[in-house]
Amino acid sequence: MTTILKLGGSVVTEKDEPETLDEPALDRAADAIGEAHLDDLVVVHGGGSFGHHNAAKYGVSAETGTHDAVGVFAIHAAMRELNTAVVQALQNRGVSAVPVHPFSLGHRDSSGATTLPSAGVERMLDEGFVPVLHGDVVVQQAEGVTILSGDEIVVLLASALSAERVGLCSGVPGVFDGTGAVIERIDDFEAVADALGASDATDVTGGMAAKVRELLNLPMPAVVFGLDDLDAFLAGQTPGTLVAGRP
Ligand code: IP8
């Protein structure tokens, strides 16, 4: 049974401090993953203060690209640094984590449709590894390079690998409604659109609203929850918000 777990950038980094890890949070996440001993686990992590500050600095977003190789490398290098920290935290708990860098794999056409070959990730799973991917830069026709969010990677891989379980460990305990309560289940974007405000920190890929939109495109349900509920998710429970997908 394949599980895809995204660790949000706001979970594993100090989102408002450029290129700063949230080490206690990363340790907690890595402890939970290490203790769960899941077979067929793919981890994807977001950009947090490593990706988004650099993307903003070089004026790159999911839609607006750059041909400035220095900027491309700065964003990618920061994400590799964060990826190394995540892989090492997992390896320290005995998890067979290995890095996978989407910039070297994927590409986009001029409409923004992304191709991300998954055969290598599948082979890694077959060989007992835990691939750890990350939000990254991606080459895009007519734009140079744009941002590929970890959420989009989750959606692409969940479909390609026919994942049974998809979880997004976020900086909040689920998707909030207008009153600040966690919405238990979302079937349709319009029903919750008003309640989903923009992210409060620099986030070039759109915060919770974009996350929910992406997840509603999945052929399987996905679960959005906070770090306190990571153990529960890995144990097979459905904490936080269930986003129904389009089975
Ligand atoms: O935090 C964005 O990934 P996300 C990655 O999953 C970069 O949206 C490079 C900003």
Side-chain angles (χ1 to χ4, degrees), residues 6-10 15 44-56 60-61 75-76 78-79 134-137 146-153 202-207 211:
K6 183 182 174 203
L7 297 176
S10 58
K15 223 180 166 185
V44 179
H45 63 80
S49 59
F50 287 75
H52 291 280
H53 282 277
N54 280 290
V60 188
S61 71
I75 301 165
H76 179 66
M79 287 308 303
H134 53 89
D136 205 346
V137 278
T146 49
I147 299 296
L148 172 62
S149 75
D151 294 339
E152 189 178 350
I153 296 171
T202 308
D203 188 338
V204 294
T205 49
K211 198 187 298 293

Side-chain angles (χ1 to χ4, degrees), residues 52-101:
H52 291 280
H53 282 277
N54 280 290
K57 179 171 167 192
Y58 290 97
V60 188
S61 71
E63 290 83 29
T64 305
T66 184
H67 287 89
D68 172 14
V70 172
V72 172
F73 182 59
I75 301 165
H76 179 66
M79 287 308 303
R80 287 177 77 114
E81 192 185 329
L82 175 56
N83 183 254
T84 297
V86 175
V87 168
Q88 279 174 343
L90 291 170
Q91 286 195 359
N92 289 344
R93 274 88 180 166
V95 178
S96 299
V98 289
V100 179
H101 305 302

Side-chain angles (χ1 to χ4, degrees), residues 20-167:
T20 307
L21 279 177
D22 184 338
E23 285 184 38
L26 177 57
D27 285 345
R28 276 181 69 198
D31 283 345
I33 295 167
E35 280 158 21
H37 300 292
L38 286 189
D39 288 332
D40 286 341
L41 172 67
V42 178
V43 175
V44 179
H45 63 80
S49 59
F50 287 75
H52 291 280
H53 282 277
N54 280 290
K57 179 171 167 192
Y58 290 97
V60 188
S61 71
E63 290 83 29
T64 305
T66 184
H67 287 89
D68 172 14
V70 172
V72 172
F73 182 59
I75 301 165
H76 179 66
M79 287 308 303
R80 287 177 77 114
E81 192 185 329
L82 175 56
N83 183 254
T84 297
V86 175
V87 168
Q88 279 174 343
L90 291 170
Q91 286 195 359
N92 289 344
R93 274 88 180 166
V95 178
S96 299
V98 289
V100 179
H101 305 302
F103 180 47
S104 308
L105 275 181
H107 55 96
R108 270 187 178 141
D109 68 16
S110 56
S111 75
T114 308
T115 301
L116 188 72
S118 60
V121 168
E122 283 176 65
R123 186 62 55 85
M124 287 176 196
L125 291 174
D126 290 347
E127 295 300 315
F129 293 108
V130 174
V132 183
L133 296 90
H134 53 89
D136 205 346
V137 278
V138 63
V139 65
Q140 177 166 346
Q141 186 180 23
E143 280 292 335
V145 151
T146 49
I147 299 296
L148 172 62
S149 75
D151 294 339
E152 189 178 350
I153 296 171
V154 168
V155 168
L156 292 166
L157 284 182
S159 299
L161 306 179
S162 301
E164 276 88 359
R165 304 202 70 227
V166 177

